[in-house]
Amino acid sequence: MSDGRKLLEEMNDRSREVFRRVVEGYLLTGAPVGSRNLTRDMSEKVSAATIRNVMQDLEYMGLLDSPHVSAGRVPTQSGLRMFVDGLLEVGDLQAADREMMDSTMSSNSQDVAGALDRIGQTLSGVTQGASLVLAPKHEAPIKHIEFVSLGHDRALVVLVFADGHVENRIFNPPPGQTPSSMREAANFLNALIEGRTLSEVQSVIARHISERRQEIDQLARAMVESGLAVWSGEGEGPERLIVRGRANLLNAGAEEGDLDRIRTLFDDLERKRDIANFLELADEGEGVRIFIGSENKLFSLSGSSLVVSPYMNADRKIVGAVGVIGPTRLNYGRIVPIVNYTAQLVGKLIADRS
């Protein structure tokens, strides 16, 4: 990024203006920008031939590209990065956008998951992109756990938290489990977990199972371990990812001929590949970050951009992230303040409900 700023500083005023206008034109229309169009907008009177020479220089520098021989220019990924870092003018949050996001907070319900879902849906609608909300795992102390048989190869584990929140998941119990082994497993867990958060439970249970191997039946021990494996989230992060606005990206892709790449992106999201890295995207602290194309491996194949901001709980700890995915020609100046404000709303929601 520093190299891009240095390159920008070394440009003369004409090259910098041509570059800026090409990028702004592309972000506005998604189409290549030609020299003839620029002659009408330049601050100084210059010929189309002069502008073409400047554009060729910018193309040689790797900042612009020509999709067709006779077409205008579009910014490369490097060019977009330099524009975002050095020339992007971030506007104020528009009143209409603020009102739309504020409307998601009108409910007094304690259903955090439902509120986050509404926020994601509204964020997608406001930005016309795909929204991502990475919800934190529930960290209230646990009050009670129970196993319920649903058949010979299926069982339900129910977790009740001290704040009244209830979560349940279906899992595959060990073969041969009986009602008595399920009760024994639940009794063993309830004697240990009360007052502890979910993140504290795993190591405590593992240690006690090891120490009290003779006291707990082998089948009940297998029930405990199977049930806990469900909560450890094997194969995915413990956080919940809410994705809304798939149709928006597919529509954008239809215009650019990128449907296959957009489908690849959503396949990755649905498999939750690299989702745990979302919090790592925000490892530099507060503030919105912009990832363009291959700068983030989750979106490298789709060629999409991600605008993401972390949010914090009442203890000022980063616990999740809010983002918008769209084509590289996103209106960054408008979307950055929307994502930033949405992250503040989600942080307040989490802090108020905790």
Side-chain angles (χ1 to χ4, degrees):
M1 295 183 187
S2 59
D3 291 342
R5 289 195 181 97
K6 182 179 179 181
L7 185 59
L8 196 60
E9 292 170 359
E10 292 174 351
M11 288 183 187
N12 59 39
D13 291 342
R14 180 182 295 169
S15 296
R16 193 179 298 113
E17 183 178 1
V18 169
F19 172 70
R20 178 175 59 81
R21 291 191 182 278
V22 169
V23 177
E24 289 176 344
Y26 170 74
L27 294 180
L28 181 65
T29 66
V33 178
S35 57
R36 192 172 300 278
N37 290 333
L38 292 184
T39 58
R40 297 192 293 265
D41 301 324
M42 292 289 291
S43 57
E44 61 173 328
K45 190 68 176 178
V46 292
S47 67
T50 299
I51 292 179
R52 279 196 296 273
N53 289 334
V54 174
M55 294 169 86
Q56 286 174 355
D57 290 340
L58 293 170
E59 187 172 355
Y60 178 77
M61 295 162 66
L63 301 177
L64 299 182
D65 190 19
S66 179
H68 306 289
V69 175
S70 60
R73 302 309 199 277
V74 298
T76 62
Q77 181 175 306
S78 298
L80 279 174
R81 168 48 61 192
M82 192 173 80
F83 174 83
V84 165
D85 289 343
L87 294 175
L88 177 64
E89 296 180 3
V90 177
D92 294 328
L93 183 66
Q94 298 177 14
D97 294 336
R98 181 189 296 270
E99 289 174 6
M100 287 290 290
M101 298 314 305
D102 284 344
S103 68
T104 62
M105 306 292 286
S106 59
S107 173
N108 293 321
S109 169
Q110 294 296 311
D111 180 15
V112 174
L116 292 177
D117 190 69
R118 290 195 305 274
I119 289 172
Q121 193 77 40
T122 304
L123 180 60
S124 172
V126 168
T127 62
Q128 288 300 294
S131 68
L132 303 174
V133 179
L134 186 65
K137 60 186 177 183
H138 204 75
E139 282 293 353
I142 299 170
K143 183 178 181 180
H144 183 75
I145 192 168
E146 185 174 350
F147 296 109
V148 179
S149 177
L150 300 177
H152 71 280
D153 60 349
R154 298 174 76 219
L156 180 73
V157 55
V158 181
L159 202 60
V160 181
F161 293 86
D163 62 358
H165 181 79
V166 178
E167 290 189 19
N168 55 73
R169 299 185 193 180
I170 294 174
F171 70 103
N172 300 116
Q177 57 85 17
T178 64
S180 61
S181 67
M182 297 182 76
R183 284 193 300 271
E184 186 177 353
N187 291 338
F188 174 79
L189 286 172
N190 285 318
L192 298 175
I193 66 176
E194 187 171 1
R196 291 187 169 97
T197 63
L198 194 56
S199 60
E200 297 170 337
V201 164
Q202 303 291 331
S203 59
V204 173
I205 299 301
R207 187 177 72 250
H208 278 270
I209 287 178
S210 177
E211 292 173 353
R212 298 167 59 181
R213 203 170 283 274
Q214 302 301 320
E215 299 178 35
I216 179 171
D217 177 83
Q218 183 177 358
L219 192 56
R221 183 167 66 249
M223 275 293 302
V224 169
E225 293 169 344
S226 296
L228 288 179
V230 174
W231 295 105
S232 68
E234 291 182 334
E236 61 183 60
E239 300 84 4
R240 178 183 175 224
L241 180 71
I242 303 170
V243 182
R244 291 290 177 267
R246 177 172 182 154
N248 291 336
L249 270 192
L250 290 174
N251 289 338
E255 295 174 6
E256 301 180 4
D258 289 335
L259 289 180
D260 288 340
R261 294 196 298 172
I262 297 298
R263 290 191 183 100
T264 297
L265 168 64
F266 275 97
D267 286 344
D268 285 348
L269 287 174
E270 286 168 359
R271 286 194 296 269
K272 298 196 173 183
R273 179 183 300 167
D274 298 324
I275 294 306
N277 293 335
F278 256 67
L279 290 183
E280 295 177 17
L281 299 182
D283 60 4
E284 295 180 3
E286 288 186 86
V288 178
R289 297 184 66 190
I290 298 172
F291 296 86
I292 300 170
S294 60
E295 291 176 351
N296 177 254
K297 60 184 177 181
L298 183 59
F299 308 110
S300 61
L301 294 178
S302 66
S304 302
S305 285
L306 166 69
V307 180
V308 63
S309 178
Y311 62 85
M312 301 182 178
N313 60 12
D315 298 323
R316 303 297 296 167
K317 176 184 176 184
I318 293 176
V319 293
V322 174
V324 170
I325 303 174
T328 54
R329 61 180 185 86
L330 278 174
N331 184 346
Y332 297 99
R334 173 174 174 258
I335 288 178
V336 165
I338 295 175
V339 170
N340 184 51
Y341 185 68
T342 304
Q344 295 175 23
L345 287 182
V346 175
K348 185 177 185 302
L349 171 71
I350 299 297
D352 289 346
R353 301 293 197 276
S354 62

